[in-house]
C-alpha cells in the first residue's frame, strides 16, 4: 500500500539499524558499489523465492491462468507510485532495453539531430550511435560542468546547443558516473518550448530520489527497478505519456495490438514471472521506509564521507559540492595514483569494494553506499583514502 511514514531523521542510527537488519549482505567486505544493482531486502528476496517455487510447481497453469491477475496488481502499484496511468507503463528487463525500445522505435528522419551529454550512460550512447549510423542522424555531445552553480546554467548549456535540426534531447536524471542530479523538469520545460522531445534515463533516480515520473514532464522515461527499488535483478520500466505510444514502433515483432497500446512494445516471448511479481513486494518495503526518508538517509551517508575527505590534500572530489545536487552516488580521485590502483588497494588492503568510472575525461573511483551501510564502514573508507593520499602510489 502506498502511504507516507512519519519523517525520520537521517542520522537516527537507532532507526536505521533496524532497517539494516532487513538486509543480508556479505561480511567479507564493505560493499560500497551498490550502483550496479541493489541488494534485495530480506522480505523481498523471500517473496521472490516463493514466487519462483510457485511458478515452477504449477508450470503452464500459473502463466496461462493465474499470472494476469498478479501482473495487474503489480502494474496498479507501479502506476500509483509513479503517478502514471497503467496504460503508460511497460515492464522491461532493464534501462538498456527500455531505451532501446524508445530510440530504435522513435520516428527519426534523416538529418534529425539528437542532443546528449558525454556523461550519459554508455549503452544508451551506443544505441544512439548505432541508430544515427543507420538513419543519418546528427549527434551533438555536451560536456557539462561537474560542479554547476545553478540549474539555469545546466539548462542554458542544453538550450545553447539546440539547432534547427534537433529533434530529441537525452537527459540522465542521476549521472551514474558522478552522482550529479540533472534538473530534468526544467530541461524538459525548455525543450518543450522549442518543440523538442526529451528521453529521460532515470535508471538511478527511481526510488533513490523522492519524485514521481509523471512530474518530470517528459513523454519518454526509462527506469531500472533492480537498482534503488531493490526488486530482483532483471526488471526495468518504460514510461510513455498517453498519446505518444503510437509514435513508437515496436522493436520486437507484434502485429496484433493497437498502435496506442503500450503492450505492443513488450512482445518479448516467455519471460520469468517471479522477478516481476516481486516488484510489488519491493514497493511495499520502500513504502515502509518512505521515499523522502530514504533519499535523506542516502544523501546523509554520501555527505558523511565526502565532508571528511573534501579538504584532504591530493584528493579531488568529482561530485557537486552542494548536497542537493547529488544523493547516494559520489566519486573521487587521488592525484598521483591511478583510479584503478586506488580501487584495487581499497579492496585488497582495506576490504572495501568500489568501482572505477570515466568522469569528464578522467577516471575516478565511484562510491555508492546503501541503507545497510554504517557510518563506521564509511569511517574505514575515509581512513583508507587519507592514508593513500598521504603515502602516495
Amino acid at each position: 500500500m502506498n502511504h507516507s511514514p512519519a519523517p525520520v531523521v537521517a542520522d537516527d542510527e537507532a532507526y536505521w539499524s533496524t532497517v539494516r537488519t532487513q538486509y543480508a549482505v556479505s561480511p567479507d567486505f564493505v560493499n560500497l558499489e551498490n550502483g550496479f544493482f541493489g541488494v534485495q531486502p530480506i522480505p523481498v528476496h523471500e517473496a521472490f523465492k516463493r514466487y519462483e517455487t510457485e511458478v515452477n510447481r504449477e508450470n503452464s497453469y500459473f502463466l496461462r491462468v493465474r499470472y494476469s491477475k498478479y501482473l495487474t496488481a503489480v502494474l496498479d502499484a507501479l502506476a500509483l507510485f509513479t503517478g502514471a496511468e497503467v496504460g503508460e507503463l511497460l515492464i522491461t528487463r532493464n534501462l538498456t532495453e527500455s531505451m532501446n525500445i524508445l530510440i530504435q522505435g522513435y520516428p527519426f528522419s534523416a538529418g534529425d539531430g539528437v542532443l546528449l551529454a558525454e556523461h550519459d550512460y554508455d549503452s544508451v550512447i551506443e544505441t544512439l550511435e548505432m541508430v544515427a549510423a543507420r538513419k543519418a542522424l546528427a549527434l551533438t555531445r555536451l560536456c557539462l560542468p561537474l560542479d554547476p552553480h545553478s540549474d539555469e546554467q545546466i539548462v542554458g548549456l542544453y538550450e545553447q546547443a539546440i539547432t534547427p535540426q534537433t529533434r530529441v534531447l537525452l537527459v540522465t536524471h542521476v549521472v551514474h558516473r558522478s552522482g550529479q542530479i540533472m534538473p530534468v523538469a526544467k530541461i524538459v520545460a525548455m525543450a518543450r518550448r522549442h518543440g523538442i522531445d526529451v528521453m529521460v534515463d532515470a535508471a538511478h533516480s527511481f526510488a533513490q530520489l523522492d519524485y514521481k515520473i509523471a512530474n518530470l514532464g517528459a513523454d519518454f522515461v526509462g527506469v531500472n527497478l533492480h537498482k534503488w527499488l531493490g526488486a530482483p535483478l532483471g526488471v526495468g520500466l518504460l514510461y510513455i505519456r498517453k498519446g505518444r505510444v503510437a509514435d513508437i514502433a515496436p522493436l520486437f515483432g507484434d502485429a496484433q495490438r493497437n498502435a496506442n497500446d503500450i503492450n505492443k512494445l513488450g512482445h518479448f516471448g516467455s519471460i520469468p514471472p517471479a522477478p516481476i511479481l516481486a516488484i510489488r513486494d519491493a514497493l511495499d518495503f520502500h513504502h515502509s521506509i518512505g521515499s523522502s526518508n530514504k533519499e535523506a538517509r542516502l544523501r546523509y551517508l554520501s555527505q558523511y564521507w565526502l565532508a571528511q575527505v573534501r579538504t584532504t590534500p591530493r584528493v579531488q572530489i568529482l561530485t557537486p559540492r552542494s548536497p542537493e545536487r547529488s544523493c547516494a552516488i559520489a566519486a573521487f580521485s587521488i592525484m598521483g595514483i591511478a583510479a584503478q590502483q586506488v580501487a584495487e588497494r581499497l579492496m585488497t588492503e582495506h576490504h572495501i569494494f568500489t568501482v572505477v568510472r570515466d568522469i569528464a575525461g578522467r577516471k575516478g573511483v565511484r562510491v555508492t553506499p546503501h541503507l545497510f551501510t554504517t557510518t563506521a564502514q564509511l569511517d574505514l573508507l575515509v581512513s583508507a583514502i587519507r592514508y593513500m593520499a598521504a603515502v602516495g602510489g
Side-chain angles (χ1 to χ4, degrees):
M1 183 175 66
N2 195 347
H3 61 282
S4 298
V8 178
V9 179
D11 61 354
D12 182 350
E13 299 303 332
Y15 171 80
W16 293 108
S17 66
T18 64
V19 173
R20 197 174 301 120
T21 63
Q22 297 301 302
Y23 290 89
V25 296
S26 173
D28 299 332
F29 61 94
V30 177
N31 182 8
L32 294 180
E33 210 304 83
N34 294 288
F36 192 174
F37 63 97
V39 174
Q40 296 170 53
I42 292 172
V44 178
H45 190 54
E46 292 299 321
F48 167 65
K49 290 188 289 185
R50 290 196 305 271
Y51 296 137
E52 190 67 42
T53 298
E54 190 173 3
V55 172
N56 192 62
R57 184 176 61 241
E58 295 188 2
N59 191 253
S60 301
Y61 177 79
F62 183 91
L63 281 178
R64 294 189 185 279
V65 177
R66 303 213 300 128
Y67 179 55
S68 61
K69 181 180 71 173
Y70 284 103
L71 179 60
T72 296
V74 170
L75 286 168
D76 285 343
L78 282 169
L80 187 62
F81 184 67
T82 61
E85 297 182 21
V86 169
E88 297 175 319
L89 300 174
L90 177 73
I91 296 172
T92 62
R93 287 175 290 185
N94 47 56
L95 178 280
T96 299
E97 184 169 70
S98 295
M99 299 305 290
N100 265 272
I101 291 170
L102 286 177
I103 294 168
Q104 297 202 54
Y106 188 85
F108 287 115
S109 299
D112 283 345
V114 179
L115 179 56
L116 62 149
E118 293 285 359
H119 65 223
D120 290 326
Y121 187 51
D122 308 77
S123 296
V124 179
I125 293 175
E126 289 174 4
T127 303
L128 280 169
E129 290 173 339
M130 180 184 72
V131 174
R134 288 178 179 173
K135 297 191 174 183
L137 307 181
L139 302 185
T140 301
R141 303 167 193 253
L142 280 176
C143 186
L144 298 171
L146 288 176
D147 194 11
H149 57 71
S150 68
D151 288 350
E152 287 66 34
Q153 179 188 12
I154 295 296
V155 175
L157 290 170
Y158 275 100
E159 187 165 27
Q160 291 166 24
I162 290 174
T163 72
Q165 288 72 43
T166 304
R167 184 92 180 267
V168 168
L169 264 63
L170 169 66
V171 180
T172 302
H173 196 179
V174 172
V175 179
H176 75 286
R177 306 172 193 275
S178 65
Q180 182 175 173
I181 300 172
M182 292 287 114
V184 172
K186 293 180 180 180
I187 295 171
V188 171
M190 176 275 294
R192 195 173 296 281
R193 292 195 299 270
H194 291 274
I196 296 171
D197 283 328
V198 177
M199 295 183 182
V200 178
D201 173 347
H204 276 283
S205 64
F206 190 86
Q208 180 185 163
L209 305 182
D210 181 13
Y211 74 101
K212 291 187 178 298
I213 285 180
N215 293 339
L216 296 177
D219 291 344
F220 309 105
V221 182
V223 165
N224 269 324
L225 301 176
H226 58 226
K227 287 190 184 290
W228 295 99
L229 183 63
L233 187 62
V235 280
L237 189 68
L238 173 61
Y239 165 84
I240 303 178
R241 188 182 297 278
K242 191 175 183 179
R244 298 304 306 274
V245 175
D247 295 334
I248 305 298
L251 177 60
F252 303 89
D254 187 285
Q256 302 299 316
R257 296 186 183 274
N258 186 280
N260 295 301
D261 183 354
I262 197 169
N263 292 294
K264 71 177 185 180
L265 305 174
H267 196 162
F268 305 137
S270 299
I271 56 175
I276 295 174
L277 299 182
I279 292 170
R280 193 176 179 189
D281 299 272
L283 285 167
D284 286 343
F285 184 84
H286 179 91
H287 291 316
S288 73
I289 297 170
S291 294
S292 61
N293 291 334
K294 184 175 180 180
E295 177 181 343
R297 176 61 176 180
L298 292 172
R299 179 172 285 111
Y300 169 78
L301 291 172
S302 184
Q303 293 299 316
Y304 180 89
W305 74 267
L306 282 172
Q308 296 185 68
V309 302
R310 193 176 289 278
T311 59
T312 300
R314 300 179 60 223
V315 173
Q316 296 177 312
I317 302 302
L318 306 176
T319 296
R321 180 175 296 272
S322 172
E324 292 74 27
R325 294 197 177 279
S326 66
C327 189
I329 303 171
F332 74 97
S333 63
I334 300 177
M335 295 175 62
I337 311 178
Q340 188 61 47
Q341 184 181 353
V342 173
E344 290 172 358
R345 288 178 59 183
L346 282 173
M347 187 61 183
T348 57
E349 298 174 15
H350 305 278
H351 307 293
I352 299 172
F353 185 58
T354 56
V355 70
V356 174
R357 284 290 174 263
D358 293 322
I359 304 170
R362 68 186 110 172
K363 292 189 181 296
V365 178
R366 187 180 75 180
V367 176
T368 315
H370 209 300
L371 294 181
F372 52 77
T373 305
T374 67
T375 54
Q377 290 173 329
L378 294 175
D379 287 337
L380 294 175
L381 172 69
V382 169
S383 295
I385 293 173
R386 286 174 172 171
Y387 174 77
M388 283 188 282
V391 301

